[in-house]
Amino acid sequence: MLKFLEENPLVYIATKGLDGEAKVRPILYYFQENNKPYFCTANTKPVYKELQADPKFELTTATPEYEWLRVSGEVEFVDDLELKQKVIDSNELVKTLYQTADNPTFEVFTFSGKATIADFSGNPPRHYEI
């Protein structure tokens, strides 16, 4: 599952909006550490507020060959400055937006849950616990 994310880092995360409606938006996967994937956002964005109110989510991404990953679980925000700095250092846009790990709006998160990788080949899907 982590290899799939590395090869397809643009993912779409679905949350329950504060208005009760489903919300989907693109986010980037940055890296894994200790078999956990890491993402980031700002605490001024709706996605952060939605995940604080209800940490349940789903995300998906796909390859041009029609293989896809779907993850369902719960988000866990991380307040580890070393990990936050690693996210900043992993991407120029993130570095430009947030500059330092102690930026008060910068949030890093991971998740736990279940993942499925499937395709249209007729082969059975592969399931993973995260």
Side-chain angles (χ1 to χ4, degrees), residues 3-36:
K3 183 176 187 286
F4 199 99
L5 283 172
E6 287 170 14
E7 293 171 357
N8 304 280
L10 177 62
V11 302
Y12 296 86
I13 189 169
T15 60
K16 180 180 177 184
L18 298 179
D19 61 1
E21 301 294 324
K23 308 296 181 192
V24 178
R25 80 271 292 152
I27 62 169
L28 288 175
Y29 161 77
Y30 294 100
F31 63 87
Q32 69 85 23
E33 188 162 295
N34 299 319
N35 292 320
K36 290 288 217 173

Side-chain angles (χ1 to χ4, degrees), residues 38 93 97 108 125:
Y38 287 92
L93 177 59
L97 290 171
V108 169

Side-chain angles (χ1 to χ4, degrees), residues 34-58:
N34 299 319
N35 292 320
K36 290 288 217 173
Y38 287 92
F39 305 84
C40 74
T41 190
N43 57 28
T44 56
K45 292 184 177 181
V47 67
Y48 175 81
K49 294 171 182 149
E50 292 160 6
L51 290 168
Q52 285 291 317
D54 184 349
K56 293 182 179 114
F57 76 97
E58 283 200 347

Side-chain angles (χ1 to χ4, degrees), residues 83-120:
L83 212 69
K84 285 179 151 187
Q85 191 61 50
K86 191 171 178 181
V87 173
I88 285 174
D89 293 340
S90 73
N91 184 281
E92 283 303 314
L93 177 59
V94 174
K95 189 180 286 188
T96 299
L97 290 171
Y98 302 108
Q99 287 96 40
T100 63
D102 61 353
N103 182 319
T105 65
F106 182 55
E107 302 290 344
V108 169
F109 64 94
T110 187
F111 57 74
S112 58
K114 297 178 186 227
T116 300
I117 297 175
D119 61 35
F120 292 118

Side-chain angles (χ1 to χ4, degrees), residues 61-82:
T61 189
T63 69
E65 297 77 32
Y66 306 109
E67 184 177 31
W68 63 87
L69 167 70
R70 187 169 124 187
V71 178
S72 179
E74 290 195 19
V75 162
E76 190 182 318
F77 285 92
V78 179
D79 197 25
D80 177 324
L81 287 179
E82 186 176 310

